[in-house]
Structures are given as C-alpha cells and as structure tokens.
C-alpha cells in the first residue's frame, strides 16, 4: 500500500511520480508553472542559471489528466503558459475535463532579455490558464479596494458599493497589482536565483481568491519554492515536487526559513 504524501512537503522527484501517490480529489487548488520546452539559460544578473530540467517538455496530456484527477470537485486550477504553447495546453486541459474560464495576463516585474531583440516585442507579461473542475465562486477578499466610497449607490435602486472589489480583471497591470515575477535586484538581495522565478505575493493573491485557509495547494514544479511560500503567506498548506536537486534544496530551505520567520514574528512578507 502506498502512503499518502505529507502536507507541507516539497518532494525531490519527478512530478509524474508524485502524482501516482496522490489519491483522487486530494488537493484543493492547483497553481503550477511547468517547463514549456525551451532553453532558458541566459546571463541574467551575472549569475548564469543552469538549464532547466524538463526544458525539452513534459507529457502535457498526462500532466493535465493527472491534475484533473487529484483536484477536488468544485475547485480552481491555474497553469502558467506562453502564447505559443497556449493552444496545445488549452486543448490538453479541456480534454482532461477542465472548464476553462479565462487566460490571465499579468505584468512581469522585469522584461525578458531573450528572443529576437531586434525583431519581436519584449515579453512583459505572464499568461495563466484559469480552469475550474466543477464550479466554485471567488472568495471575497480585502486585496483591492474599490475606488468608489463604501455604501455609494451608482444609481438609485442599485446595490451600495462594497469597500473591496469582488470581481477582478483578467489583465493585471499597473500599480494596484503585484507583479508576476521578481526582478534581478530582488534575486540578488535575497540570493535566490531561478530563471523563471515568480513573485510569491502575486501567487498568494490567486491562492486567497481561489481557496480557503488551511486548504492544500499543489505545485508539481516548485522551482525555487515560490508557491510554497505563497501558500504560507495566505495561511494555506502546500504540496509539490521539484526534480532538480539544487532547486529542490533551495525551495525547501526557502520554505523552512519563511515558516521560521513567520512563527517568530507573525505573518511576514518576503
Ligand atoms: C518554470 S520553473 C518553476 C519556477 C517556479 N514557479 C518559481 O517561482 O521558482 C519549472 C521547474 O520545474 C522543474 N521540473 C522540470 N521537470 C520536472 C518534473 N518532471 N518534475 C518536477 N519538476 C520538474 C524544473 O527544474 C524547474 O525548476
């Protein structure tokens, strides 16, 4: 008999192997950033990153099916993607059974220096496919205040406006939203280097919108551990895998340091 995976663990293994140990409907939300199949190596911040494991691609059809299986009914899932992989990822997720609701486009904290520098637009946004298994409505959160004063009626007979927004746009640009990625200054300051690192505060917004405190958030491609930190920021549990030993050690260390700091000083930001 296989044991259920432990909560608040990042396993150093292939995500597909971890899936095989996870019972149906075990996780409450999926928020994950798989490799897309390009080589990300660059000379960013004078700290060349080693090539990313799985850069030649994963079996996305199987990944989509397994993601659907382990997600509880009436729950949300977010999959990072890119414009050129989007049609394939979309089809795999749909075939797996997900209802695809939106593509979120979120401003990066830095503009990528790869690709055709003279003949293509700089990529300044992350894309995420937002899916549901069954149906779940968004939580009401205090993340964004409404511009209108609380209690104001836009017209006679309309509901009075609430203090906080209950509906978010699909494009997150501008100063009121956290950026999707950290820049090189943040990475140098925290000595956490990963070529595709995401901003934990941004991930924690998605977690607060789409899950309840204490629920289990899954990321099979933890990288530097941003999803684990984001789950803790939001008071949720996490579970995930990272295949690269060096990145896995980084993720486990980052998560345990964050937990220690939070225990000493209460809720903290990175
Ligand atoms: C796009 S990055 C994720 C970055 C992460 N969101 C962060 O903020 O640091 C994808 C990660 O998946 C890992 N990876 C690739 N194939 C994998 C597999 N089959 N199982 C688990 N991890 C894998 C890579 O080593 C890489 O660190």
């Amino acid at each position: 008999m296989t044991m259920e995976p432990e909560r608040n663990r990042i396993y150093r293994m292939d995500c597909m192997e971890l899936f095989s140990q996870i019972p149906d409907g075990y996780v409450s939300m999926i928020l994950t950033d798989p490799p897309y199949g390009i080589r990300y190596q660059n000379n960013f911040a004078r700290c060349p990153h080693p090539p990313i494991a799985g850069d030649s691609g994963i079996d996305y059809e199987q990944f989509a099916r397994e993601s659907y299986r382990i997600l509880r009914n009436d729950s949300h899932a977010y999959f990072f993607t890119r414009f050129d992989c989007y049609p394939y990822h979309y089809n795999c997720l749909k075939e797996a059974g997900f209802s695809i609701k939106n593509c979120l486009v979120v401003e990066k904290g830095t503009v990528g220096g790869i690709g055709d520098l003279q003949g293509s637009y700089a990529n300044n946004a992350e894309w995420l496919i937002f899916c549901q298994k069954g149906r779940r409505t968004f939580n009401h959160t205090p993340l964004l205040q409404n511009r209108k004063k609380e209690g104001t009626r836009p017209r006679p007979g309309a509901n009075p406006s609430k203090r906080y927004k209950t509906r978010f746009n699909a494009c997150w640009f501008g100063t009121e939203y956290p950026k999707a990625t950290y820049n090189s200054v943040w990475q140098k300051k925290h000595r956490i280097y990963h070529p595709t690192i995401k901003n934990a505060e941004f991930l924690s917004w998605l977690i607060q919108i789409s899950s309840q405190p204490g629920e289990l958030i899954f990321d099979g491609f933890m990288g530097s551990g941003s999803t684990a930190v984001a789950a803790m920021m939001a008071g949720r549990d996490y579970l995930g895998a990272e295949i690269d030993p060096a990145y896995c050690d980084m993720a486990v260390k980052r998560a345990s340091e964050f937990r220690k700091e939070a225990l000493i000083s209460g809720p903290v930001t990175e």
Side-chain angles (χ1 to χ4, degrees):
M1 197 182 73
T2 51
M3 300 267 288
E4 280 179 2
E6 279 173 45
R7 291 171 92 97
N8 298 316
R9 281 274 316 260
I10 300 169
Y11 288 87
R12 185 192 287 188
M13 60 161 66
D14 188 325
C15 170
M16 299 301 179
E17 264 176 58
L18 181 57
F19 273 131
S20 68
Q21 297 174 24
I22 302 179
D24 296 357
Y26 190 67
V27 309
S28 299
M29 176 181 169
I30 295 176
L31 174 53
T32 194
D33 184 15
Y36 307 144
I38 58 159
R39 293 180 73 79
Y40 278 106
Q41 199 168 16
N42 62 16
N43 292 313
F44 175 73
R46 293 212 200 113
C47 175
H49 304 287
I52 289 191
D55 244 7
S56 53
I58 54 165
D59 181 342
Y60 205 94
E61 286 170 39
Q62 191 195 348
F63 163 70
R65 280 195 301 272
E66 285 292 84
S67 296
Y68 189 82
R69 182 187 65 74
I70 66 162
L71 185 63
R72 205 182 54 190
N73 282 332
D74 300 329
S75 299
H76 290 171
Y78 296 82
F79 301 91
F80 279 85
T81 186
R82 207 182 46 202
F83 75 97
D84 51 342
C85 315
Y86 179 82
Y88 178 59
H89 291 172
Y90 181 102
N91 279 331
C92 293
L93 293 165
K94 200 166 175 347
E95 279 294 306
F98 284 109
S99 153
I100 299 175
K101 307 294 283 189
N102 285 112
C103 180
L104 299 193
V105 181
V106 181
E107 188 178 9
K108 288 188 183 193
T110 185
V111 177
I114 54 173
D116 179 352
L117 301 184
Q118 308 294 326
S120 75
Y121 294 96
N123 182 13
N124 66 337
E126 290 287 343
W127 293 31
L128 294 98
I129 302 178
F130 168 55
C131 305
Q132 299 212 16
K133 177 175 178 179
R135 161 109 179 124
R136 180 186 182 117
T137 54
F138 292 125
N139 294 333
H140 290 182
T141 66
L143 292 171
L144 272 188
Q145 292 219 14
N146 274 317
R147 291 214 178 91
K148 284 207 182 78
K149 209 171 151 237
E150 190 176 7
T152 318
R153 288 178 198 272
R155 56 185 183 284
N159 289 332
S161 77
K162 300 223 164 52
R163 180 159 174 207
Y164 297 106
K165 279 194 199 301
T166 50
R167 190 152 201 237
F168 285 80
N169 296 333
C171 287
W172 290 18
F173 274 69
T175 50
E176 57 182 352
Y177 292 101
K179 303 284 179 272
T181 58
Y182 291 124
N183 58 24
S184 58
V185 176
W186 186 96
Q187 294 206 44
K188 267 188 208 160
K189 184 176 163 205
H190 293 84
R191 296 182 182 200
I192 298 171
Y193 299 104
H194 190 289
T196 62
I197 191 167
K198 303 300 180 293
N199 177 351
E201 189 197 356
F202 155 61
L203 301 178
S204 92
W205 277 41
L206 300 177
I207 290 171
Q208 288 172 69
I209 290 168
S210 288
S211 68
Q212 293 295 327
E215 287 188 330
L216 184 60
I217 316 301
F218 180 79
D219 181 357
F221 305 94
M222 278 280 183
S224 62
S226 307
T227 306
V229 170
M232 286 187 275
M233 279 177 173
R236 275 65 163 173
D237 289 344
Y238 60 87
L239 167 66
E242 169 54 50
I243 204 168
D244 182 296
Y247 287 140
C248 189
D249 288 350
M250 180 194 286
V252 169
K253 183 164 173 268
R254 187 174 167 208
S256 79
E257 281 173 2
F258 186 89
R259 185 177 296 283
K260 256 187 242 151
E261 209 173 319
L263 285 175
I264 294 164
S265 56
V268 287
T269 49
E270 275 198 302

